[in-house]
Amino acid sequence: MDLSTTYLGLPLKNPVIVGSSGLTDTPEKIKEWEKNGAGAVVLKSLFEEEIIFEYEEVLKEVQNTGYNMEQFDYYDFVLKKKKLDAYLALIEEAKKAVSIPVIASVNCVYSHEWTAFADKIQDAGADAIELNMFFLPSDMNRTSREMEERYLKVINTLTARVSIPVSVKISYHFSSLGQMIKTISDTGVSGMVLFNRFFNPDIDIERQEIKPSFVFSAPSDIAMPLRWIALMYQRVNCDLAASTGVHDGDAVIKQILAGARAVQVVSALYKNRSGTIPAMLDRLTGWMGDKGYETLSDFRGKLSHVKADDPAVLERVQFMKYYA
């Protein structure tokens, strides 16, 4: 079977991409994922908030020492340059280590100031940039339209700076999700990833403290991206990739049937490591043989909203007979 596909205009030997995480933060790890069959990798993100938090900590120290704050721009420059240089080195070393596409990732939470780094990321050899965006809609003083405009401002600034493909990884927290996905796809981005997974808090009832939890996705988490890949297939002007809940070969097949060009995998790799991708590809190959498909395009989008025999199922939101 021919498992090759294209994503963001990049040729991939198969649709399985190792998503941005600690699994892709060194050239050595990236080489191992290529050996295990990955079609591409997304590097661990350059976190804008990490740079800002470090800046704020140094700022507090300097303020307490009575330092001349007019000269503090120097510290701002040094901190950002240190983080950026380390990230550029990762890109350059990864590109030398593997032949599969290497996609840089920037996690944006505050502003678009970091987009000034985009041309350097491009010059370092990244095949594409994935913009991982989420502004928590907790500001009661901002309208939904103002929040949406923040996203579009960052996206438009980035796409204007670079010539390499740009993808946008978003959440489903929009008041009109379908319209926002379509609007973003019209900006000139090459792809969208549905959806990103967040840090979520839990509560320790004994210590009465907030703690991190729910780190990894579960197979059932595929439901949300599966629905929206299927709904948006052939309704957007860019590629669609599925993320969250892809734990086995069946999940890969489902997302391609829905319309995905590629899938991103992280949690399953943390849980099962090196055997995961080969098992996914074996399942995909075997299923295609059983169904008489020779290429992914033979069945991509077959069960999308625009092609399904019963598209209303994808729009149904209330249980009817399931729990009779």
Side-chain angles (χ1 to χ4, degrees), residues 59-73:
L59 178 61
K60 290 176 185 177
E61 289 184 22
V62 172
Q63 286 175 326
N64 291 334
T65 61
Y67 187 81
N68 182 359
M69 294 306 296
E70 291 180 359
Q71 300 179 41
F72 194 72
D73 283 346

Side-chain angles (χ1 to χ4, degrees), residues 221-273:
D221 291 333
I222 192 177
M224 184 67 78
L226 186 69
R227 167 180 281 190
W228 283 97
I229 292 284
L231 285 171
M232 300 311 297
Y233 176 69
Q234 291 190 345
R235 290 193 167 101
V236 293
N237 295 313
C238 66
D239 293 341
L240 293 175
S243 177
T244 302
V246 180
H247 283 249
D248 54 27
D250 285 4
V252 177
I253 296 166
K254 290 176 184 180
Q255 291 290 17
I256 297 173
L257 281 166
R261 282 208 158 264
V263 300
Q264 292 191 4
V265 184
V266 173
S267 293
L269 300 181
Y270 271 112
K271 292 178 179 180
N272 302 311
R273 289 295 182 179

Side-chain angles (χ1 to χ4, degrees), residues 146-288:
E146 288 174 328
M147 293 294 290
E148 292 167 1
E149 287 174 351
R150 290 180 67 192
Y151 283 86
L152 297 174
K153 183 177 182 180
V154 176
I155 293 167
N156 288 328
T157 301
L158 177 60
T159 54
R161 287 195 73 102
V162 298
S163 59
I164 59 176
V166 174
S167 66
V168 181
K169 193 172 190 178
I170 63 167
S171 79
Y172 45 82
H173 294 289
F174 289 97
S175 57
S176 182
L177 179 57
Q179 185 181 58
M180 189 60 179
I181 293 173
K182 180 67 170 66
T183 299
I184 291 175
S185 80
D186 291 338
T187 62
V189 297
S190 298
M192 294 186 69
V193 184
L194 310 181
F195 295 105
N196 48 20
R197 181 170 177 78
F198 309 111
F199 165 89
N200 281 304
D202 193 8
I203 291 180
D204 185 323
I205 62 174
E206 297 301 326
R207 295 186 178 184
Q208 300 178 61
E209 296 175 348
I210 296 177
K211 64 177 184 177
S213 190
F214 316 114
V215 175
F216 297 125
S217 71
S220 59
D221 291 333
I222 192 177
M224 184 67 78
L226 186 69
R227 167 180 281 190
W228 283 97
I229 292 284
L231 285 171
M232 300 311 297
Y233 176 69
Q234 291 190 345
R235 290 193 167 101
V236 293
N237 295 313
C238 66
D239 293 341
L240 293 175
S243 177
T244 302
V246 180
H247 283 249
D248 54 27
D250 285 4
V252 177
I253 296 166
K254 290 176 184 180
Q255 291 290 17
I256 297 173
L257 281 166
R261 282 208 158 264
V263 300
Q264 292 191 4
V265 184
V266 173
S267 293
L269 300 181
Y270 271 112
K271 292 178 179 180
N272 302 311
R273 289 295 182 179
S274 59
T276 304
I277 296 177
M280 287 179 169
L281 299 178
D282 285 346
R283 172 59 174 151
L284 175 58
T285 301
W287 179 87
M288 289 173 64

Side-chain angles (χ1 to χ4, degrees), residues 106 108 111-120 131 153-155 157-159 161-162:
V106 179
C108 175
S111 67
H112 62 274
E113 181 183 356
W114 60 267
T115 53
F117 301 153
D119 50 352
K120 294 183 179 180
L131 181 56
K153 183 177 182 180
V154 176
I155 293 167
T157 301
L158 177 60
T159 54
R161 287 195 73 102
V162 298

